[in-house]
């Protein structure tokens, strides 16, 4: 029900979907970027539902409380504890290995604030599960969101992240000053 409201807001505000998930692609780590606003959640869910994608997504455990937890569970949330190390990357790899079809959206920045370096878990989860990265985006300037072509990782972090940066070049978050394209690097 709530996702219908999200779709209505998406359409009433003049947003369009550009790019989709290739039909043959059954598993991927979906980068959710730029991530600068809580509106990202609303519009991303609207896109997932309109494209009939069974998307799972990471969300901080702090917001997983009743009654919000009902909405989150029903929309694919995977609550994560951010304050401690819990081998999250290994857990994500296990999820991929246990499912025939699964897409997991991960905000690479890990926060809505500006960062100097993205969290590397999305990269290592995709590499460990042998699944591609699917760049997902919301561009508030153009009022469009969707997906780019899957990026199949080579293991060469520099080359792989250059492909990611190239995709996000020119994409504008709701708060552009919070999105740092140069943060897409992994040591």
């Amino acid at each position: 029900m709530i996702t219908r409201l999200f779709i209505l807001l998406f359409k009433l505000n003049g947003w369009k979907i550009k790019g989709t998930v290739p039909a043959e692609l059954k598993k991927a780590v979906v980068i959710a970027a730029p991530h600068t606003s809580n509106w990202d959640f609303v519009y991303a869910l609207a896109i997932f539902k309109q494209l009939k994608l069974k998307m799972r997504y990471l969300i901080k455990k702090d917001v997983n409380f009743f009654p919000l937890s009902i909405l989150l569970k029903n929309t694919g949330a995977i609550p994560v504890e951010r304050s401690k190390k819990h081998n999250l990357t290994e857990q994500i790899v296990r999820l991929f290995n246990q499912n025939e079809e699964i897409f997991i959206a991960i905000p690479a920045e890990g926060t809505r604030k500006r960062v100097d370096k993205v969290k590397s878990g999305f990269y290592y989860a995709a590499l460990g599960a042998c699944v591609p990265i699917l760049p997902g985006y919301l561009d508030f300037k153009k009022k469009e969101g969707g997906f780019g072509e899957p990026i199949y990782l080579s293991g060469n972090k520099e080359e792989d992240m250059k492909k990611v940066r190239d995709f996000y070049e020119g994409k504008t978050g709701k708060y552009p000053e919070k999105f740092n394209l140069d943060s897409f690097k992994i040591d």
Side-chain angles (χ1 to χ4, degrees):
M1 174 79 169
I2 192 81
T3 52
R4 288 184 188 157
L5 175 61
F6 292 174
I7 291 169
L8 182 63
L9 287 169
F10 184 87
K11 290 180 177 180
L12 286 175
N13 285 313
W15 281 73
K16 303 281 184 243
I17 297 175
K18 300 286 184 182
T20 188
V21 177
E24 68 278 1
L25 187 63
K26 302 298 179 199
K27 298 181 182 184
V29 169
V30 179
I31 298 176
H35 183 40
T36 65
S37 162
N38 285 329
W39 281 102
D40 301 346
F41 174 76
V42 172
Y43 291 143
L45 276 183
I47 291 170
F48 300 158
K49 292 300 177 184
Q50 287 179 82
L51 295 177
K52 296 177 177 43
L53 295 174
K54 290 185 179 179
M55 189 72 64
R56 304 288 311 270
Y57 59 91
L58 301 184
I59 191 162
K60 60 184 174 180
K61 192 175 182 179
D62 306 9
V63 299
N64 193 44
F65 55 85
F66 184 81
L68 187 57
S69 58
I70 295 169
L71 166 71
L72 296 175
K73 182 180 179 186
N74 289 332
T75 58
I78 302 170
V80 296
E81 175 67 50
R82 297 187 323 165
S83 62
K84 300 176 187 169
K85 299 265 183 195
H86 286 98
N87 296 320
L88 182 58
T89 301
E90 291 174 21
Q91 291 173 37
I92 294 169
V93 169
R94 268 196 305 277
L95 273 173
F96 277 111
N97 291 337
Q98 294 167 351
N99 290 277
E100 296 274 330
E101 185 173 333
I102 186 168
F103 297 92
I104 301 177
I106 301 175
E109 296 133 306
T111 181
R112 292 177 306 277
K113 299 173 186 159
R114 184 178 176 86
V115 298
D116 292 326
K117 190 171 132 188
V118 296
K119 305 241 181 229
S120 60
F122 77 92
Y123 181 85
Y124 290 111
L127 204 56
C130 299
V131 300
I133 288 174
L134 184 65
Y137 76 101
L138 292 169
D139 188 325
F140 279 78
K141 186 176 182 181
K142 295 178 183 173
K143 289 192 173 186
E144 66 182 36
F147 304 94
E149 292 294 319
I151 298 171
Y152 292 87
L153 302 178
S154 67
N156 180 323
K157 294 177 268 193
E158 196 172 299
E159 285 180 18
D160 293 338
M161 294 310 289
K162 181 183 180 328
K163 292 176 186 174
V164 172
R165 276 191 307 279
D166 287 350
F167 175 79
Y168 287 105
E169 180 77 40
K171 306 292 189 287
T172 307
K174 181 163 180 63
Y175 300 105
E177 70 279 3
K178 293 183 178 182
F179 182 56
N180 179 8
L181 188 61
D182 293 330
S183 70
F184 283 92
K185 58 188 171 209
I186 295 177
D187 298 327

